[in-house]
Amino acid sequence: MAIHHPLPRTLLLGGARSGKSTRAEQLLADHPDVLYVATGGTRDGDAEWAQRVALHRERRPTSWRTAETCDLETVLADPADPAPVLVDCLALWLTAVMDECGAWNDAVWTDGGEAAVQRRCEALARAWAATGRTVVAVSNEVGMGVVPATAAGRRFRDTLGRLNMAVADASERVLLVVAGQVLTVKPAAA
């Protein structure tokens, strides 16, 4: 069953394998033209990753377009493309940003890496708030898991938590997916 809601910005949070991507796709299922933005990229030699990507592709309508990019600010600001956008996912986007900034390294993090990552997160949050497009983003909810054992893992968790909050603040609706069930965290205004 397709869930249609004409709101411009929706954030779906959930744990790994919670069903959040499937539910996000259902939110836009009645739109024949959707730009599906995959932020995970390809991972040469990783058969499990390739299988996950293939399953996601098979599930989507054939009329949907796919863009593999982490340039979300440009996608969100594109006035020439009125199609709804599904971003899957913000956690993978942040992983790519931290890779680009060298922010996994403790010394790089303290010597400008943190500031560089923060600037990218702020730019994304501004683009999300400013977009006139119907957008649905998927992200991992990181506040309910174990505390990562490494400093790099903790900074990723903390940064993603702050990014999720900024995107949620600028969203009309926030949903939490648990075991495939959708819970409303921030209901759409009437």
Side-chain angles (χ1 to χ4, degrees):
M1 177 180 144
I3 305 168
H4 175 67
H5 205 288
L7 295 176
R9 292 175 292 262
T10 300
L11 175 63
L12 272 90
L13 299 166
R17 308 304 260 178
S18 64
K20 60 191 177 292
S21 294
T22 301
R23 296 302 184 202
E25 292 163 9
Q26 289 172 345
L27 290 174
L28 297 171
D30 61 346
H31 293 274
D33 183 23
V34 171
L35 179 60
Y36 188 102
V37 180
T39 62
T42 58
R43 299 177 187 179
D44 294 334
D46 189 336
E48 180 188 357
W49 183 256
Q51 183 180 19
R52 284 181 182 216
V53 169
L55 288 172
H56 276 242
R57 285 184 180 147
E58 290 169 13
R59 220 177 34 221
R60 295 193 296 263
T62 57
S63 64
W64 287 15
R65 296 172 287 136
T66 301
E68 292 186 3
T69 183
C70 285
D71 188 7
L72 299 182
E73 297 96 293
T74 299
V75 170
L76 294 171
D78 186 357
D81 189 349
V85 175
L86 194 161
V87 176
D88 197 356
C89 83
L90 296 181
L92 293 172
W93 175 86
L94 180 59
T95 299
V97 167
M98 289 184 70
D99 287 348
E100 289 171 18
C101 296
W104 303 105
N105 178 284
D106 293 344
V108 171
W109 181 255
T110 58
D111 191 31
E114 179 179 14
V117 170
Q118 185 61 34
R119 282 192 300 274
R120 292 286 307 276
C121 290
E122 289 169 357
L124 175 56
R126 282 191 307 273
W128 181 266
T131 190
R133 299 179 80 168
T134 296
V135 289
V136 174
V138 172
S139 190
N140 290 60
E141 172 50 55
V142 292
M144 294 191 258
V146 297
V147 175
T150 65
R154 289 187 297 276
R155 74 176 144 256
F156 175 81
R157 179 211 49 202
D158 294 349
T159 304
L160 183 57
R162 286 189 294 275
L163 176 62
N164 286 345
M165 285 189 285
V167 170
D169 284 345
S171 297
E172 283 78 16
R173 179 173 55 172
V174 178
L175 305 172
L176 177 66
V177 181
V178 178
Q181 304 306 301
V182 179
L183 308 168
T184 300
V185 177
K186 181 180 181 180

